[in-house]
Amino acid sequence: MSIEEALTLLSDEMSIAFGGNALHRVPMSFVREIAKSDLKNLHLINTAGAHDVDLLCTTNQVAVVDAGFVSYESGYGLANYYRKAVQEGKVKSNEHACYTVISALRAASYGVPFMPVRGLEYGDLIKENNYFIRVEDPFSGSPVTLVKALSPDVAVIHAHQVDKNGNVWIQGPLFDDILLARASKKVIITTEKIVNKEYNSAKQKMTKIPGFLVDAIIEIKNGSAPCSMYGEYDIDDEILRKFTTGEMDTEMYLAHYKKNRRW
């Protein structure tokens, strides 16, 4: 499937979860295609977001973000476009802890409406985020926090290899990508390479996401750039620095990747 065809699976006001974590194995090529589209009022779901969320805030396509963390890693500072959008009231931020996003996704993957979690006994998260509620544990009588399930309409995950049947292989850290695939209504996989190897028992053991969960696969070389891809390429420090400092605006950034498109 082409990336343009995969975009037709998306629509305004959808909830979209991006795989990877912070600046690592994020499906940035697909994020850039969203940034060039007319999609609007999107609801983004991330355990730990960074460049993906920040970029889409520059194009005013984001309405809501549910995340435990949205920021670049220490070398690049805060996600200032996201921060500005929240401060100006353009984006509603439903602040989580990372583990409450995971708990909410886990509830969705189990087909239940909520998940009990430890903690959140202090602070203002429960008051500020209507995804949380404190109730009485019917067994012990003690208070317990519940987090509402999060079931993304679409998960977009970048992988090292996918076979022609959609079986996904990922090297290195898996982050919460397997959970995303199970919790989401549709799954789009972008991959460094589509392979035609026979699906045998050895490969079955290596499969991280089975093909029956996958709705679309797209081969995109360097599909995570300027983020890193374990065993393939590192972070593009120059591009990230220029983007985060404003030296490269969104138009220049998208033009750079259009010129260097590899699919």
Side-chain angles (χ1 to χ4, degrees), residues 23-207:
L23 296 176
H24 309 287
R25 206 167 42 71
V26 182
M28 285 307 306
S29 287
F30 199 91
V31 175
R32 284 190 288 273
E33 292 301 311
I34 293 175
K36 292 186 289 185
S37 75
D38 295 326
L39 290 166
K40 59 183 182 296
N41 296 326
L42 300 176
H43 176 182
L44 304 185
I45 298 171
N46 291 72
T47 300
H51 189 45
D52 46 359
V53 178
D54 213 28
L55 176 62
L56 294 180
C57 284
T58 71
T59 55
N60 298 310
Q61 292 172 282
V62 182
V64 181
V65 175
D66 276 88
F69 172 93
V70 180
S71 184
Y72 292 86
E73 296 178 357
S74 56
Y76 306 97
L78 298 172
N80 283 318
Y81 297 110
Y82 166 71
R83 181 181 183 180
K84 182 180 180 182
V86 173
Q87 288 176 330
E88 294 179 350
K90 296 178 180 178
V91 172
K92 184 179 188 300
S93 173
N94 292 323
E95 186 176 355
H96 285 253
C98 289
Y99 88 101
T100 63
V101 177
I102 291 172
S103 296
L105 293 169
R106 188 168 287 139
S109 73
Y110 293 163
V112 296
F114 57 81
M115 182 67 64
V117 297
R118 287 281 188 184
L120 300 187
E121 297 179 24
Y122 308 102
D124 296 328
L125 272 182
I126 293 179
K127 290 190 294 183
E128 298 298 328
N129 188 342
N130 60 13
Y131 279 86
F132 304 129
I133 189 172
R134 293 282 281 176
V135 300
E136 182 181 289
D137 177 355
F139 296 100
S140 69
S142 301
V144 62
T145 304
L146 307 180
V147 58
K148 183 180 178 181
L150 279 171
S151 180
D153 293 314
V154 178
V156 186
I157 298 167
H158 191 60
H160 290 77
Q161 291 186 354
V162 181
D163 75 6
K164 59 184 179 181
N165 295 316
N167 298 297
V168 179
W169 298 288
I170 298 171
Q171 299 175 30
L174 299 175
F175 307 120
D176 55 348
D177 288 1
I178 294 174
L179 180 57
L180 282 180
R182 293 173 178 172
S184 301
K185 299 179 180 71
K186 291 185 181 296
V187 177
I188 297 171
I189 301 293
T190 64
T191 180
E192 295 289 316
K193 187 176 183 181
I194 296 176
V195 296
N196 293 314
K197 296 178 181 178
E198 183 181 357
Y199 187 61
N200 53 34
S201 59
K203 276 293 181 183
Q204 186 175 15
K205 293 177 182 178
M206 295 169 58
T207 298

